Amino acid sequence: MTLRKTVIRGTGFAVPSNIVTNDDLSKTVDTSDEWIRTRTGIEERRIAPPETGNSDLAIEAARKALDRAGLSAEDIDLIIVSTITPDMVSPATACLVQNALGAKHAATFDLEAACSGFIYALSVARQYIATGEYNHVLVVASEVLSRITDWSDRSTCVLFGDGAGAAVLSGTDEGESDFVSFFLGGNGKYADILNMPAGGSRKPASHETVDAREHTMKMNGPEVFKAAVMKMNHSMRQVLTRAGLQSSDVDIVIPHQANLRIIESLRKYLDLPEDKVYVNLQKYGNTSAASIAIALAELVESGRLVRGQLVGMCTFGGGLTWAACLLRY
Ligand SMILES: CC(C)(COP(=O)(O)OP(=O)(O)OC[C@H]1O[C@@H](n2cnc3c(N)ncnc32)[C@H](O)[C@@H]1OP(=O)(O)O)[C@@H](O)C(=O)NCCC(=O)NCCS
C-alpha cells in the first residue's frame, strides 16, 4: 500500500486579549516578577474572560487555519480537538467546533494527552491521511487552563495561560512536504506528579472536593522538570534516528513552552544554537496542548517558517506523556 504524503496546509491561533503580567500576579500571591522570570522565563500570559469557553478559542483558531488553507469547513473530513479543558465532559469539544464551523461532513472526537496532545493529534490525523481514509483533517489544540488553576497556589498559578492553535492537514501527491517521523510515549506510573484529582468519575464534584481545591492542577514541579528534559531529549533523538538525521539537519525546533530553563537544557543536550529553538512562553506561559500549535502558527505567520524547511517539535506533559515529530514543512 502506498502511503499518501501529508501537508500542513493552513495554521491559525487565537489568544484572549486580556494580558496578566507577573506584577499583576504578585498582587494576589506571594511572588515577584523577578522570581517568575528567572525560574520560568514567563513574563505574561493571556487569561480568557468568564464568558469565553474553550470552543470559542478553538473556533477562532480553526477559522484562521481554514482560511489560510483555502478550504471551506465542508471540505473537512475529520476534526480532532486536543485539550484537558473541554467546554464540558460530553459532548466532545470537537462536536461544538464542527457545528460552529458548519463542517457537516466531518467526524469529530477529542483527544486527551495533556501537553503532548497536539503532537499526538497530528500523528492520528497523519495516519488517516496517509492511508487515504481522509483527505482534509482539522487538528485544534485549545486550552482554558485558567479554569483549572489554583490562583492561591504560587507554585502553579504563575505557569499557565489560555489559548488555541489549529492546523489543517491535507493529503498530497506533490511537493516534498510531509511528516518525516513521529515518536509517542507515556508512563502512567507518574500520574501523580501532575494531575487534577477531582471532577472525573472516581472523585466527582462535591462540597469536599471544591473546598479542598481538587478541581485544580496539582504538580510536583521539580519532578516534572527532570522528566521533561529527559523525555523531550529522548523523543527528539528518537525522531532523528528514525529519519537517519542529526539535530544539525533541523531548521527549527519548537519545544513545548513550559519553562525556559527546560528549553535551555534541551537545547544544550541537542547541541542546537539559540536561533534554531523557538520560544514564545514569555508572552503566553504554558498553554498545555495549545503551546506548540500556537508557536507553529506564529512561525508561519511571521514568515520564519517557510516551505521545505525541516521542523522538529517535541513535548511532554501530564500522564506522563511525551512526543516528538519531524515535519518537512
Ligand atoms: C515550578 C518550577 C518553576 C519551580 O521552580 P524550582 O526552581 O523547581 O523551585 P522549587 O519548586 O524547588 O521551589 C523553590 C522555592 O521557591 C518557592 N516558590 C515556588 N513558586 C514560587 C513563586 N511563584 N514565587 C516565589 N517563590 C516561589 C517555593 O515555595 C520554594 O520555597 P522554599 O525553598 O522556601 O520551599 C519548576 O519546578 C518547573 O518549572 N517545573 C516544571 C513545571 C512544568 O513545566 N509543568 C508543566 C508540565 S506540562
Side-chain angles (χ1 to χ4, degrees), residues 25 29-36 38-42 114-116 153-160 193-194 217 219-226 228 256-262 286 288-289 315-318 320-321:
L25 289 178
V29 284
D30 182 14
T31 189
S32 65
D33 177 52
E34 207 265 331
W35 193 96
I36 303 170
T38 52
R39 297 298 179 107
T40 72
I42 298 165
C115 302
S116 306
D153 174 9
R154 69 176 181 174
S155 70
T156 54
C157 75
V158 300
L159 302 175
F160 301 110
I193 67 173
L194 177 54
M217 282 178 286
M219 183 180 69
N220 178 335
E223 285 300 312
V224 174
F225 193 108
K226 276 186 274 173
H256 174 45
Q257 305 288 313
N259 183 315
L260 190 56
R261 290 188 296 143
I262 293 176
N286 178 351
S288 191
T315 187
F316 72 96
L320 292 180
T321 55

Side-chain angles (χ1 to χ4, degrees), residues 125-138:
R126 195 273 186 122
Q127 301 297 320
Y128 280 113
I129 290 172
T131 55
E133 177 75 12
Y134 292 134
N135 200 22
H136 303 295
V137 180
L138 170 65

Side-chain angles (χ1 to χ4, degrees), residues 40-62:
T40 72
I42 298 165
E43 295 171 18
E44 57 190 41
R45 66 287 294 143
R46 303 299 181 98
I47 301 296
E51 65 278 10
T52 298
N54 181 313
S55 63
D56 298 314
L57 296 175
I59 290 158
E60 190 184 333

